[in-house]
Amino acid sequence: MKKTARPLHPSSFPAPLARPEKPDLPKPASVPVREPFEFDLEIGRKARTQSTGHNLAPTVSDKLAQAPLRMDRKKFGKMRKGKLVPEARIDLHGMTQAQAHPALTRFILNSWAMDFRLVLVITGKGKHQEDDGPIPVRKGVLKHQVPHWLHSSPLREAVLQVSEAHLKHGGTGAYYVYLRRKK
């Protein structure tokens, strides 16, 4: 108890125990003396019980959702809700990467030359395949590759914003591509 504290009911508290004084022991000059003390050890007491899990890369949907907004906020809201009608569309579903990349490049650059603002790129969601190996296989190769193509040269000069399409325009298997105005 502190010296300034007064108990409410003094009779209910036991009297403090007097501590026996320890005799002074002579200390050697070269070796410091440590007093022995006991530890209350329990192995694993502070160990985490749950594993931290795996640090997985974000999905394509998450990456596009976290991308900075470069277009008008109101128009972007209408686009995400499916209220804007795309002026042109391309269906890459069923194509290989070697076929899809030049077709996408040609489509985007032609749409930009014709002053279109909103186009729809349909990739498909991808097929689920049996995974027999230790290395996981990505589902939907074009779905993962198209945003990368749109953000790399020569298409990055034409593309202003990329986002996933609304359900009525294809959902997660399609992308809205909002094109820049020509200079």
Side-chain angles (χ1 to χ4, degrees):
M1 268 194 279
K2 286 198 159 231
K3 293 179 182 179
T4 59
R6 286 182 272 131
L8 293 175
H9 306 287
S11 61
S12 64
F13 289 104
L17 297 175
R19 294 186 183 169
E21 292 186 26
K22 295 180 185 176
D24 291 334
L25 299 175
K27 296 181 182 178
S30 62
V31 180
V33 176
R34 288 186 169 177
E35 294 183 16
F37 53 94
E38 294 182 20
F39 286 105
D40 182 24
L41 291 179
E42 181 181 335
I43 295 176
R45 179 173 47 192
K46 293 184 178 180
R48 287 184 168 171
T49 56
Q50 296 179 352
S51 66
T52 57
H54 300 288
N55 185 10
L56 300 175
T59 62
V60 176
S61 305
D62 294 338
K63 283 183 187 176
L64 290 176
Q66 293 171 356
L69 187 62
R70 295 187 198 125
M71 59 184 284
D72 181 47
R73 185 173 299 282
K74 284 185 180 181
K75 195 158 288 251
F76 181 73
K78 287 180 182 180
M79 181 179 75
R80 272 190 31 218
K81 293 175 185 174
K83 294 183 179 180
L84 293 181
V85 179
E87 297 170 285
R89 69 182 62 220
I90 185 171
D91 190 357
L92 304 176
H93 190 252
M95 291 186 187
T96 64
Q97 288 186 43
Q99 296 167 333
H101 190 210
L104 177 69
T105 304
R106 188 171 40 255
F107 171 73
I108 295 294
L109 293 178
N110 286 343
S111 299
W112 188 46
M114 291 189 287
D115 289 330
F116 290 162
R117 293 306 303 270
L118 180 64
V119 295
L120 183 69
V121 177
I122 302 168
T123 60
K125 294 179 186 176
K127 293 181 183 177
H128 180 69
Q129 299 173 353
E130 291 297 322
D131 188 16
D132 295 337
I135 300 172
V137 179
R138 246 192 288 180
K139 185 176 137 183
V141 175
L142 288 180
K143 178 180 169 40
H144 286 81
Q145 204 61 36
V146 164
H148 173 69
W149 292 337
L150 291 170
H151 289 110
S152 58
S153 191
L155 298 180
R156 94 172 127 214
E157 287 83 26
V159 174
L160 184 63
Q161 188 82 37
V162 179
S163 72
E164 279 193 346
H166 187 266
L167 281 174
K168 72 180 184 182
H169 290 130
T172 59
Y175 295 111
Y176 289 130
V177 181
Y178 200 78
L179 302 175
R180 297 180 192 272
R181 288 199 173 132
K182 288 178 67 175
K183 295 176 183 176

